[in-house]
Amino acid sequence: MRTTPHRRTGIRLRPPAHPVLPTSPGFWRSPLRGPWFTSVLGLVLLFGLLVVFVTGLLSYAAYNPSLSPVNDKTPDKGVLGFYLFDWPTDPHWLYRLTQGVHVTLGLALIPVVLAKLWSVVPRLWSLPPVRSLAHGAERLSLLLLVGGVLFQFATGVLNIQLDYLFPGSFYPLHFYGAWVFFAAFALHAALRFPQALRTLRSGELRTRGTRGKGDTHHDGEHDEDEDEDGSRTGASTHAGTGTGTGTHGTAPHGAHAELAASATGLASTGAELASPDPAPGTLTRRGALGVVGAGSALLVVTTVGQSIGGPLRETALFAPHGGGEPGGGPGGFQINKTMAAVGVRVQQTGEAWRLAVEGRAGTVRLSRTDLLAMRQYGAALPIACVEGWSTPDQDWRGVRLRDLARLAGYRDGPLPDLLVESLQTRGAFRRAALRANQVADPRSLLALAVNGAPLTPDHGFPARVIVPAAPGVLNTKWVARLTFGDLT
């Protein structure tokens, strides 16, 4: 083992062995950890996770779960559905936007979440695990917070990749998981806020855990490492003790960064984050943030094309619906599930197919020829799905849903809700409900053609529903029955 002579006595001293247990602060030796690094990541997550949470709630509202049990995959939600409202049909790209942001931003935050967890690992191993009742509550909220984040990201990524490896339906797992995370987030923020406020008033963040130029070690040597804001990192013995006297260690955004670190549930003192015996630095903190940012950018470039289309669809190699369109011609745009995958047989969609339209006037059965004989309308609308993928506007043509409602006996007064049933035998949305405002929109069609040609089998031939701003699963394919009436 290498020894080092003492400056004054000349005696060669053997360096102390590094701790072998993760509960020892000296076990975690990376010089990158510190309040500044953690606070910057916390600031990003504070705003990023809030947007992901809100857009997730909007995604749930878009299904109109309070309209009918067929749309409600979380019937025991109780007060958690307090915010639900009638989902609008304008703008027609609304769900494409909200769900695209939800998925793309969620993926982009994965490197940030992992870096954040890495930056606070020493604190998760600190002993004793519970020092007081308040500290125990904080640790419990931290466990739920970290577990909730990992669970939400894991289930979300698997859903995006169409790998339904869940012990139940994705919808309730992700919905309730989001609320568990948010509750832990709110509890931890409340518990940490007093400490954050004290830190802000004292200005402690400006000196705690910093390495100012010219900090002096106990042996008289000067630390040549630069400041806590990431210019360089190195082996300062003052890194985690808060005894540095440099003046260049002010955290970016000051109070906002400290509040962000506390609000995201992972704020700590410098002594808990920075190593008392850091290893030699090989990367600056700003460089580490650059690596995290590059990872996020890579995920965006390789996935966002499935949501916005255009040239970036070719680069969306990590997305099931990226990498180019699946085919050519009028029906060559993205398909979620084929007719074979959901159990629809070709014989069911042939000449013998009849659409049953039910309402006040009884039941009317219409062939595809009968529907084509009715007045046809066009609408340019996208398809957008919960997995985050969408298509550009496609030119649909068919019969307005409100005209079929009148055929079913609703000629006067407000139009009713609509229950749509498909020929498919498998899938959570074999039946779907639409609100009256969706039925009344002139762009809501029972589509018979798209982009100037009849629907292809996998796009819903002989007839499918298309509604502006609705999630893809509510745009039912292979329609067999339309039942108009009050569903609430």
Side-chain angles (χ1 to χ4, degrees), residues 106-188:
L107 291 172
L109 288 178
I110 289 176
V112 185
V113 168
L114 295 178
K116 179 75 170 180
L117 293 177
W118 174 86
S119 75
V120 297
V121 162
R123 183 168 181 254
L124 301 179
W125 284 91
S126 64
L127 293 178
V130 177
R131 293 190 287 267
S132 65
L133 185 61
H135 184 251
E138 179 189 337
R139 297 284 284 190
L140 177 60
S141 67
L142 184 61
L143 176 64
L144 294 175
L145 186 65
V146 174
V149 165
L150 295 178
F151 178 81
Q152 288 300 98
F153 276 87
T155 54
V157 169
L158 288 173
N159 184 65
I160 293 167
Q161 295 298 323
L162 308 180
D163 293 322
Y164 296 99
L165 306 176
F166 312 114
S169 171
F170 167 77
Y171 298 97
L173 289 177
H174 211 60
F175 178 77
Y176 292 126
W179 279 110
V180 168
F181 161 75
F182 184 77
F185 178 94
L187 175 61
H188 206 91

Side-chain angles (χ1 to χ4, degrees), residues 258-288:
E258 175 68 7
L259 282 173
S262 296
T264 51
L266 299 174
S268 301
T269 64
E272 290 177 308
L273 292 179
S275 174
D277 182 25
T282 58
L283 182 68
T284 67
R285 290 189 176 94
R286 285 176 180 161

Side-chain angles (χ1 to χ4, degrees), residues 404-455:
L404 291 169
R406 294 189 180 99
L407 183 64
Y410 296 89
R411 297 185 177 277
D412 301 317
L415 293 173
D417 303 323
L418 171 61
L419 177 65
V420 185
E421 299 178 65
S422 174
L423 292 172
Q424 68 184 79
T425 59
R426 296 187 290 273
F429 287 90
R430 299 184 298 273
R431 305 164 72 215
L434 298 174
R435 286 196 183 277
N437 68 305
Q438 294 172 311
V439 174
D441 194 292
R443 296 164 296 178
S444 296
L445 305 176
L446 181 71
L448 306 173
V450 63
N451 298 326
L455 294 172

Side-chain angles (χ1 to χ4, degrees), residues 38 89 97 160 261 275 296 358 414 469:
T38 297
T89 56
L97 172 65
I160 293 167
S275 174
S296 295
E358 186 175 341

Side-chain angles (χ1 to χ4, degrees), residues 291-416:
V291 172
V292 174
S296 295
L298 178 63
L299 287 175
V300 169
V301 170
T302 54
T303 56
V304 72
Q306 71 167 350
S307 298
I308 65 176
L312 285 177
R313 188 176 291 277
E314 298 291 340
T315 68
L317 303 178
F318 290 172
H321 292 275
E325 300 293 356
F333 53 95
Q334 297 293 320
I335 297 168
N336 192 15
K337 295 181 180 178
T338 65
M339 64 185 299
V342 296
V344 177
R345 303 188 308 274
V346 175
Q347 296 89 330
Q348 295 175 280
T349 62
E351 291 294 330
W353 174 85
R354 294 293 183 271
L355 171 69
V357 181
E358 186 175 341
R360 285 177 183 167
T363 301
V364 179
R365 298 189 180 276
L366 302 170
S367 66
R368 182 175 164 87
T369 301
D370 295 329
L371 292 167
L372 287 169
M374 298 177 67
R375 186 170 181 179
Q376 306 290 296
Y377 294 89
L381 300 173
I383 296 175
C385 284
V386 67
E387 297 90 357
W389 68 268
S390 61
T391 73
D393 289 353
Q394 308 296 321
D395 293 322
W396 306 92
R397 193 161 183 81
V399 181
R400 284 176 172 168
L401 293 182
R402 67 186 189 185
D403 289 348
L404 291 169
R406 294 189 180 99
L407 183 64
Y410 296 89
R411 297 185 177 277
D412 301 317
L415 293 173

